[in-house]
Amino acid sequence: MKLKEAKVKVLSLIEELNPKSDLLTDDPDISAKINHVISQIQNELARIKKILATTTEEVTSDEVFDLNTLDQFYQLKSIRFKNTSGEDSTYEVIDNMVIFAENGTATIFYYKYPEMITDTAKDSYEFELSQDVLEIMPYGVAADLLKSDVSTNYGKVYAERYESMLQRLDPRYSIGGSIIVEGGVDI
């Protein structure tokens, strides 16, 4: 989904869509904050249904490798490390720091934050979130956009719907894992 599609979904939901406007709405308050609110909600959702990234890094023994230097780093998933001879080797992880026992190549799998959406973000910005999360996002955005409108309870209604949908969200991408049986099985 692209940013423009997300805006159309949100503005349609809260009945503020004007497709003839370059800003897609006639409400100046909404147009001023919609990108920031979308960015905030996508960041929240990315911590629930995480965005996987991978990088291959040449590393040096006994030097501290700071995982925070990776692009949009949020959380480590796993590391596959081979020394310069191509053999598996050891490393130690301490919080977001890694110390490798030898020189070699580390393939690092990690979860990342999505790119922030600013006022200058293009409508062609492509979300990295999964489809199930993108269907929930408009309700969170609508809730935040309307939370200060005390004359109606729409902000609260959308917030409750958003929370309800979050509760049913499955954070997994797959069941995962595999089983290897060596030597057969007697039943």
Side-chain angles (χ1 to χ4, degrees):
M1 177 186 298
K2 296 189 183 318
L3 179 58
K4 184 175 182 177
E5 295 169 88
K7 289 180 184 179
V8 167
K9 281 187 173 203
V10 170
L11 295 170
S12 296
L13 188 65
I14 63 174
E15 299 178 359
E16 289 289 343
L17 178 65
N18 178 357
K20 295 178 183 174
S21 169
D22 288 341
L23 301 174
L24 299 173
T25 184
D26 296 325
D27 188 315
D29 292 334
I30 289 174
S31 67
K33 59 186 175 181
I34 192 165
N35 279 13
H36 298 287
V37 174
I38 290 173
S39 188
Q40 173 192 343
I41 296 298
Q42 83 155 341
N43 191 293
E44 176 183 0
L45 290 168
R47 291 189 313 269
I48 297 168
K49 188 84 177 238
K50 300 172 183 174
I51 301 169
L52 185 62
T54 185
T55 185
T56 301
E57 303 286 335
E58 296 301 318
V59 296
T60 306
S61 68
D62 296 326
E63 283 189 19
V64 175
F65 184 89
D66 185 354
L67 294 169
N68 292 308
T69 62
L70 300 177
D71 183 40
Q72 301 294 112
F73 178 79
Y74 167 54
Q75 196 174 62
L76 179 65
K77 179 169 175 55
S78 67
I79 298 174
R80 292 186 180 155
F81 176 57
K82 297 201 180 285
N83 62 21
T84 53
S85 300
E87 302 163 330
D88 290 342
S89 188
T90 61
Y91 58 90
E92 182 179 9
V93 178
I94 303 166
D95 290 326
N96 289 335
M97 306 292 189
V98 186
I99 301 171
F100 295 92
E102 304 177 68
N103 294 344
T105 304
T107 303
I108 303 169
F109 298 88
Y110 67 100
Y111 298 113
K112 68 178 196 162
Y113 289 110
E115 293 290 327
M116 288 186 66
I117 299 171
T118 63
D119 286 332
T120 59
K122 304 242 184 276
D123 282 343
S124 59
Y125 171 93
E126 185 86 31
F127 290 96
E128 297 177 88
L129 299 170
S130 60
Q131 188 64 36
D132 54 349
V133 172
L134 290 173
E135 292 302 319
I136 293 171
M137 186 173 63
Y139 291 92
V141 175
D144 274 8
L145 287 174
L146 300 178
K147 70 182 171 193
S148 62
D149 187 355
V150 292
S151 63
T152 65
N153 255 352
Y154 292 137
K156 183 179 178 190
V157 169
Y158 291 123
E160 288 172 358
R161 176 77 169 129
Y162 176 65
E163 290 299 324
S164 170
M165 294 171 88
L166 281 178
Q167 295 302 318
R168 293 189 307 265
L169 183 65
D170 186 350
R172 300 174 298 175
Y173 281 97
S174 65
I175 301 299
S178 60
I179 299 171
I180 299 172
V181 178
E182 294 182 17
V185 176
D186 283 333
I187 299 181

